[in-house]
Amino acid sequence: MEILFNQESMEMFISGLGFWGPFVFFVLQVFQVIAFPIPGNLMTVAGSILFGFWRGFLLSYGANLVGSLIGFSLVKKFGQALIKKFAKSEKVAKWVGIIGAESTTLRAKILFILVVLLPFLPSDLMCLLVGLTAIKHREFLFIIVTCRPWGQMVAALLGVSSYTMPLYLWIPLIVIVMAVCILAVYRAPQIERFTIDLSHKLTKVFANKRESNPS
């Protein structure tokens, strides 16, 4: 099971599978979306290193779509108890409280879109949590298809460029990434609060447009 928790072990395992490598990578990526033992973007980086940019990106994107839809559907059927099997109870409780506070489907959709698009937010967990809302399968799939690929594309580019980028560019890039990650950890409550507040403001904007332009 080490391959599920260690990117280097996972890369070595998949590279040794030859023809079956892409299939196994796809399955692991699907599992990662539902159970998230390691960050999904690290899987995408590994995929682009192993298979090249387009193949790695498309494998990751497809696996994320499948995994997200499976997780969403399972939560629709089995409820919150299923989520607690895959995530820390306190984190689930916090985000269930946030989702529960979003009293309308429009607010839940906008919050979901923001969490998927913005970095350093639990997008995989949110794919499960919105299964508790009134969001329908077709609405969920539309949001995932349109919003999910952008972060993965950046991760895939980062992975494939690791072979060609000179050391003098990698050093400042690593420093910047580490600084941003540290800032994100220490400022997580502020990032979450900003996202929630932004979802409320956008909800008001779209709600007002609906009222002024009734169908």
Side-chain angles (χ1 to χ4, degrees):
M1 294 296 288
E2 183 187 358
I3 61 171
L4 297 176
F5 297 88
N6 185 286
Q7 182 182 349
E8 185 178 350
S9 298
M10 184 267 294
E11 289 178 15
M12 292 177 62
F13 172 72
I14 292 176
S15 62
L17 292 175
F19 172 81
W20 292 103
F23 175 76
V24 173
F25 175 83
F26 185 92
V27 172
L28 287 175
Q29 183 78 310
V30 169
F31 179 79
Q32 173 273 318
V33 174
I34 301 171
F36 35 83
I38 58 176
N41 282 338
L42 289 182
M43 291 283 286
T44 305
V45 169
S48 68
I49 291 173
L50 289 166
F51 309 116
F53 171 73
W54 282 111
R55 198 178 180 196
F57 166 69
L58 291 174
L59 281 169
S60 294
Y61 181 43
N64 267 268
L65 292 181
V66 172
S68 298
L69 190 56
I70 289 174
F72 174 79
S73 300
L74 288 174
V75 173
K76 280 285 188 187
K77 184 174 180 62
F78 297 107
Q80 184 177 330
L82 180 70
I83 305 176
K84 291 182 177 179
K85 294 182 181 296
F86 300 123
K88 294 179 179 179
S89 297
E90 58 271 20
K91 191 171 186 179
V92 172
K94 180 179 73 173
W95 280 94
V96 164
I98 293 171
I99 284 289
E102 306 309 305
S103 56
T104 69
T105 306
L106 177 60
R107 280 186 179 178
K109 288 178 190 175
I110 292 174
L111 180 60
F112 180 36
I113 290 170
L114 291 176
V115 171
V116 172
L117 284 176
L118 297 177
F120 309 116
L121 291 167
S123 57
D124 287 339
L125 176 59
M126 186 60 73
C127 287
L128 301 182
L129 288 171
V130 292
L132 303 173
T133 71
I135 292 176
K136 298 176 182 178
H137 278 80
R138 65 176 181 274
E139 297 168 330
F140 175 85
L141 188 59
F142 177 78
I143 292 172
I144 289 297
V145 168
T146 55
C147 298
R148 195 75 152 153
W150 310 114
Q152 291 180 316
M153 189 170 289
V154 172
L157 284 170
L158 186 62
V160 79
S161 66
S162 63
Y163 287 118
T164 57
M165 187 179 294
L167 182 62
Y168 67 84
L169 289 179
W170 266 113
I171 292 175
L173 178 61
I174 291 173
V175 171
I176 293 172
V177 170
M178 289 180 63
V180 171
C181 289
I182 292 171
L183 181 63
V185 170
Y186 283 100
R187 293 292 182 180
Q190 289 86 345
I191 294 173
E192 292 171 1
R193 186 72 256 166
F194 167 80
T195 305
I196 295 166
D197 289 343
L198 180 59
S199 72
H200 290 170
K201 292 176 182 177
L202 291 174
T203 300
K204 289 181 180 179
V205 171
F206 285 105
N208 289 336
K209 284 187 175 181
R210 281 184 177 181
E211 292 176 0
S212 60
N213 297 294
S215 55

